[in-house]
Amino acid sequence: MVFDDVRTSDGSVQSPTAFSVTTGRVRGYHRAAVDTFLAAARAAFEGDADDLGAADVRVASFPLVKNGYVVAEVDAALGRVEDALAARARDRAVRSQGAGAWVEQARDDAQIILDHLARPKRQRFARTGVLTFGYRIDEVDHVGTRIARYLRDGEPLTAEQLRSAAFRMQRGGYREEQVDALLDATVDVILAVR
């Protein structure tokens, strides 16, 4: 897991936040910002606190700078942190409410997503104005169809695939915040049923 320390050959403990650093013109995540966030996440996890949850990790963002941490490595680690926090939340809920209540909540959330995606293509989300950029409609609809197939038919789809979904922009496209909210809700369902 991402919070486990790595013991070196001399017995000393090395932090798992030792990410590669970008070079040249390539920008990466601000190292101090990433280290601070991961330290807070680790403290919340080890302290069994609810200060930080999976959703907080999902929306974390860091400035891009020269000589920063490699984005892909940090994003992968954040995915593991999100998974760990989601698993802990699921375990707590199952202990307090029972597995049946947890499954029923996940089923209800999945049905809300499916109902939203049942709208006709090109009409699934609100659109930006003709002079404003939004997510490209055909690309979002394609991902929406994959989500519906996952929820309805059990076709394979991972949280990581949704976390890494990126859409080109177009004038009059789908509103980003609505699409992002649906993707986040779908990730929550995926993590709930793991």
Side-chain angles (χ1 to χ4, degrees), residues 22-121:
T22 61
T23 58
R25 292 182 157 171
V26 177
R27 295 184 180 271
Y29 287 143
H30 190 275
R31 291 187 284 179
V34 171
D35 291 340
T36 300
F37 183 82
L38 288 178
R42 181 182 187 143
F45 187 82
E46 289 178 347
D48 207 25
D50 289 328
D51 303 357
L52 190 76
D56 299 314
V57 175
R58 190 176 315 124
V59 298
S61 63
F62 309 102
L64 291 172
V65 297
K66 287 185 178 181
N67 299 317
Y69 287 140
V70 173
V71 170
E73 291 179 19
V74 174
D75 287 348
L78 290 174
R80 292 189 300 274
V81 170
E82 181 184 354
D83 291 349
L85 291 171
R88 183 178 71 178
R90 179 181 59 240
D91 292 344
R92 285 180 176 171
V94 167
R95 279 196 308 271
S96 67
Q97 302 167 359
W102 180 259
V103 169
E104 188 62 34
Q105 180 62 51
R107 185 177 292 130
D108 292 346
D109 293 345
Q111 189 60 54
I112 291 168
I113 294 166
L114 277 171
D115 291 345
H116 187 93
L117 294 174
R119 297 174 182 170
K121 287 186 177 185

